[in-house]
Amino acid sequence: MDSLWFSDICGHHVSPFTMLDFDQSCHRKHGFSLENKLVFGRKLYKQALTIARVVSPSQLAIVPSPDKEPVDPDQNHVAWTSVKQERWEGELVVQGEIPLWLKGTYLRNGPGLWHIEDYNFRHLFDGYATLVKLHFEDGRLIAGHRQIESEAYKAAKKNKKICFREFSEVPKHENFMAYVGDLSKLLSGSSLTDNANTGVVKLGDGRVVCLTETQKGSLVIDPNSLETLGRFEYSDSLGGLIHSAHPIVTDAEFLTLLPDLLKPGYLVVRMEPGTNERKVIGRVNCSGGPAPGWVHSFPVTQHYVVVPEMPLRYCAQNLLRAEPTPLYKFQWHPQSKAFLHVMCKASGKVVTSVEVPLFVTFHFINAYEEEDEDGRVTSIIADCCEHHADTSILDQLRLKNLRFFKGEDVLPDARVGRFKIPLDGSRNGKLEAALDADEHGRGMDMCSINPAYLGKKYRYAYACGAQRPCHFPNTLTKLDFVEKKAKNWYDEGAVPSEPFFVARPGATEEDDGVVISLISEKNGGGYALLLDGSTFKEIARAKLPYGLPYGLHGCWVPKK
Ligand SMILES: CC(=O)/C=C/C=C(C)/C=C/C1=C(C)CCCC1(C)C
Ligand SMILES: CC(/C=C/C=O)=C\C=C\C=O
Ligand SMILES: [Fe+2]
């Protein structure tokens, strides 16, 4: 095996020999003018004063101790253990056969480093980004991983402490005045993280960008060397601090949502390949609640953008807090209800806003238009990985919960939630399971589809399901929405990452292609796995020199 070995995460030189038993201890408003910023500033300042009144300065100075690393090393699954070293690259030995048509690079991003010195992070989403590549060519596989050099990561390494606000972590303040100073930095966004640890997308112009929920956390990377090339600077003046972590990216466009926390609503924006300028398609005002619902992702059809308004809403007070709340930067507002808004992509007009049953989702799977016999669009179907309107999944993703699996069946139930949005002016939409959730063990998240079916009527989706008892989705699952059946792949004790579908060039069947996943094994090992998109049977696997931490979302960069 040809391989390059680099220094470990703390800068010590590591040889291939010492590596395998290396010890862990040595891991973004429309015209957001200055005036708006000042209004936002005043609002936040008032909230800060309220918090300061109820919490004494000494309490503000104290950040509660993070969750401790597990004592029992047997419980320390590699999926939840910081990546062993900064970077590695090498060719893998392949068992089985990689189809010769598979030419390109699968990239996967995720939070792979959950400690700085002896400070252990709290939540899965806090980790500093680890980018993984699997380059397929001529039946061979070159793998590699590398830490993303965000300002947040570099500063943490240099100063040996967290320096920016992460998902649940806030830099420790020396005193009350430092806390107030940090609040003013929050207004400009300068204290927010740029730790691009959620997804990676290939823009129509070829640039590859890693993303998270803060706009400043949009970082351009080189898909071959995995080097961080710099920040993706949005050249427009839309302002704001956060956006959806999952833009819809095709060769023709980049669509995303910018939540407006001041005047609750969302801007739907579009960016053309070769530009850095987002243009506003339209604006949706929220139908309920004090703030917009969290928009980690959203679906599109061929002519419409569906804007979800989930009752799990952003919460300005929680953004300001020095210590995490049970729902982190969010708050559950069931009385504010749940809505789906449908915007025409061409005109920017909101064609309908319907109330739907309460729901909780991170990930929309796909959406499409239903027509009558005259070709008129009568309704929209939108599918998501739905957590039964239960926010407890966010808590389940705390590292202490992920690291302590003692065989209890504690993964909250989830299903494929299928929304039906009538376009006849009715005020209510429906939400039902697209298939019996027992087909996939009542676990459901981390989904992909054949990208050729984006926004169109589709039959298949790939996701992670559950073989119970479990505490985290542990199967790779192929969902068939016509037969209402699922095929499941399972390896005892292993944690598979999001199954990613790559279509065979020239394919005419929706499921003609392969599904790629990276598996973290219970013995500390790991492997890249290829399943046949149709049969869902294994066609190849390749062992990595050491197991990698769990990762989130990926993209495919075809070889030109
Ligand atoms: C990894 C994942 O799925 C989600 C990550 C979410 C992040 C990093 C959210 C970060 C945020 C801040 C750092 C402050 C502003 C609010 C919010 C977007 C939640
Ligand atoms: C890993 C995950 C949910 C698992 C639930 O069953 C959600 C990840 C969200 C971020 O991309
Ligand atoms: Fe996601």
Side-chain angles (χ1 to χ4, degrees), residues 360-413:
V360 165
T361 190
F362 296 108
H363 299 121
F364 278 86
I365 303 171
N366 198 15
Y368 58 91
E369 297 157 17
E370 286 191 317
E371 294 178 352
D372 63 15
E373 53 281 6
D374 300 323
R376 278 187 296 252
V377 181
T378 54
S379 56
I380 285 174
I381 301 294
D383 294 337
C384 66
C385 303
E386 206 276 313
H387 294 266
H388 292 279
D390 179 358
T391 58
S392 65
I393 185 65
L394 260 183
D395 197 52
Q396 186 54 31
L397 299 178
R398 280 174 76 144
L399 291 160
K400 88 170 166 44
N401 294 333
L402 296 171
R403 286 171 178 163
F404 284 93
F405 179 54
K406 301 260 189 242
E408 298 95 346
D409 192 25
V410 291
L411 178 70
D413 286 0

Side-chain angles (χ1 to χ4, degrees), residues 125 165-167 192 197-198 212-213 296 319 329 552:
F125 298 165
R165 291 176 168 251
E166 301 294 338
F167 176 78
L192 290 180
N197 70 358
T198 308
T212 182
E213 307 226 348
H296 182 73
L319 276 170
K329 313 285 195 280
L552 297 171

Side-chain angles (χ1 to χ4, degrees), residues 159-369:
N159 301 301
K160 303 189 189 309
K161 60 179 186 188
I162 291 168
C163 302
F164 291 84
R165 291 176 168 251
E166 301 294 338
F167 176 78
S168 88
E169 298 284 351
V170 175
K172 192 170 167 24
H173 303 104
E174 298 297 319
N175 52 47
F176 182 63
M177 285 320 290
Y179 168 70
V180 174
D182 181 56
L183 289 183
S184 71
K185 288 203 217 141
L186 187 55
L187 304 182
S188 65
S190 67
S191 68
L192 290 180
T193 189
D194 65 341
N195 172 24
N197 70 358
T198 308
V200 49
V201 295
K202 183 186 84 69
L203 305 183
D205 54 30
R207 290 176 292 178
V208 179
V209 183
C210 290
L211 295 157
T212 182
E213 307 226 348
T214 59
Q215 295 187 31
K216 66 191 282 201
S218 307
L219 305 181
V220 186
I221 60 101
D222 178 321
N224 302 312
S225 66
L226 305 186
E227 184 188 352
T228 305
L229 301 177
R231 193 165 283 180
F232 185 95
E233 302 281 358
Y234 298 100
S235 62
D236 50 72
S237 54
L238 293 176
L241 302 174
I242 58 180
H243 58 185
S244 170
H246 290 275
I248 302 279
V249 183
T250 63
D251 283 348
E253 62 189 5
F254 170 106
L255 294 169
T256 198
L257 301 183
L258 311 184
D260 181 347
L261 304 189
L262 294 177
K263 186 162 169 273
Y266 311 85
L267 282 185
V268 180
V269 302
R270 176 175 187 270
M271 187 171 74
E272 297 219 347
T275 77
N276 286 34
E277 185 185 4
R278 299 161 301 179
K279 291 190 175 144
V280 176
I281 295 180
R283 183 192 156 92
V284 172
N285 292 321
C286 285
S287 295
W294 184 14
V295 279
H296 182 73
S297 72
F298 64 99
V300 295
T301 69
Q302 287 187 280
H303 303 97
Y304 302 100
V305 176
V306 178
V307 179
E309 186 180 337
M310 194 157 72
L312 182 60
R313 297 173 184 272
Y314 299 96
C315 175
Q317 285 97 330
N318 289 352
L319 276 170
L320 294 166
R321 285 179 200 274
E323 79 284 5
T325 71
L327 291 174
Y328 306 97
K329 313 285 195 280
F330 310 101
Q331 230 173 11
W332 180 242
H333 290 278
Q335 73 291 350
S336 76
K337 303 190 174 148
F339 303 89
L340 293 178
H341 309 270
V342 179
M343 182 182 284
C344 171
K345 264 174 69 175
S347 69
K349 290 209 166 66
V350 178
V351 299
T352 194
S353 290
V354 296
E355 185 182 331
V356 291
L358 301 186
F359 67 99
V360 165
T361 190
F362 296 108
H363 299 121
F364 278 86
I365 303 171
N366 198 15
Y368 58 91
E369 297 157 17

Side-chain angles (χ1 to χ4, degrees), residues 444-483:
M444 178 50 45
D445 222 306
M446 309 304 289
C447 46
S448 78
I449 59 164
N450 180 333
Y453 288 75
L454 176 72
K456 301 182 189 154
K457 192 165 167 90
Y458 71 121
R459 176 169 178 176
Y460 303 110
Y462 302 90
C464 291
Q467 174 137 329
R468 293 179 182 271
C470 65
H471 74 318
F472 190 80
N474 56 358
T475 66
L476 295 171
T477 294
K478 177 184 180 185
L479 301 159
D480 179 339
F481 297 127
V482 171
E483 294 290 333

